[in-house]
Amino acid sequence: MTTRTFTVPSREDVSPSNQAIFDQLKKNLGFVPNLYAYYGKSETALADYLALQNRQSTLLAKEREVINLVTSQINGCRYCQSAHTVLGKMNGFTEEQILELRGGSASFDAKLDAVAKFSNSVVESRGKATEEAKEAFFAAGYTEASMIDVVIVVGDKIISNYLHNLTGFAIDFPLAPELQTATV
């Protein structure tokens, strides 16, 4: 049995509507990340995914990065761990804080700790978070609308995690350290 190789399409390999999105991504980010490019193999997935990722939310960018880091760690997605390590630093987290977040906690910030632990519980239990994690989340000042937004970010990240875990295309971000070997 041969192992299938998955390739990332170039701009020329995707539809005209996806080419326009590639052009916008390159303008905004300086490049088209391989994950986004891979979505371009589908006529609608790239636009749909970007709309989901960029939707209005009750959560701050920093809170969304906490969820992204926790979810990507649990799902073992090296691509998203690496991309969100870069994004986490852009949102003000240190390398040490990012490693702690990937482990499911944030001892450096009580509110972010509640988000990290709640997200960890949601992902680990496939949506059946512990009562303790839920109550700590609400006690930290989050609302039911915030809970919905956490679940949407988890879902968004699971989509990307699974897609990369299925395909294994090249990681085009600095490789995040393995959590087990990292010094926290």
Side-chain angles (χ1 to χ4, degrees), residues 2-71:
T2 59
T3 302
R4 179 179 297 272
T5 302
F6 296 91
T7 59
V8 175
S10 68
R11 184 184 183 283
E12 295 72 35
D13 297 329
V14 301
S15 70
S17 60
N18 281 334
Q19 287 178 1
I21 297 170
F22 275 36
D23 293 344
Q24 193 63 43
L25 287 166
K26 187 165 182 157
K27 179 182 172 192
N28 292 342
L29 304 175
F31 75 113
V32 179
N34 284 344
L35 176 68
Y36 291 156
Y38 195 79
Y39 279 111
K41 288 190 170 201
S42 163
E43 180 60 36
T44 60
L46 179 58
D48 292 344
Y49 184 72
L50 290 172
L52 177 63
Q53 243 188 1
N54 295 315
R55 65 180 280 281
Q56 291 294 312
S57 175
T58 61
L59 302 171
L60 301 172
K62 222 172 178 172
E63 293 164 326
R64 291 190 303 268
E65 282 312 311
V66 169
I67 301 160
N68 289 328
L69 287 161
V70 168
T71 304

Side-chain angles (χ1 to χ4, degrees), residues 118-144:
F118 178 67
S119 301
N120 189 78
S121 187
V122 167
V123 178
E124 284 282 349
S125 68
R126 294 181 298 209
K128 296 178 183 174
T130 66
E131 288 302 317
E132 178 185 29
K134 283 191 273 189
E135 287 312 311
F137 179 75
F138 292 122
Y142 291 103
T143 65
E144 289 180 47

Side-chain angles (χ1 to χ4, degrees), residues 54-131:
N54 295 315
R55 65 180 280 281
Q56 291 294 312
S57 175
T58 61
L59 302 171
L60 301 172
K62 222 172 178 172
E63 293 164 326
R64 291 190 303 268
E65 282 312 311
V66 169
I67 301 160
N68 289 328
L69 287 161
V70 168
T71 304
S72 297
Q73 182 64 41
I74 292 169
N75 289 324
C77 181
R78 298 288 286 146
Y79 187 96
C80 293
Q81 290 167 10
S82 299
H84 290 287
T85 292
V86 170
L87 292 169
K89 289 176 184 175
M90 290 171 61
N91 278 283
F93 293 121
T94 66
E95 183 77 30
E96 294 75 26
Q97 290 171 334
I98 289 168
L99 293 172
E100 184 179 350
L101 289 168
R102 286 174 53 199
S105 64
S107 64
F108 55 91
D109 184 297
K111 194 164 184 182
L112 293 178
D113 191 55
V115 172
K117 288 178 177 169
F118 178 67
S119 301
N120 189 78
S121 187
V122 167
V123 178
E124 284 282 349
S125 68
R126 294 181 298 209
K128 296 178 183 174
T130 66
E131 288 302 317

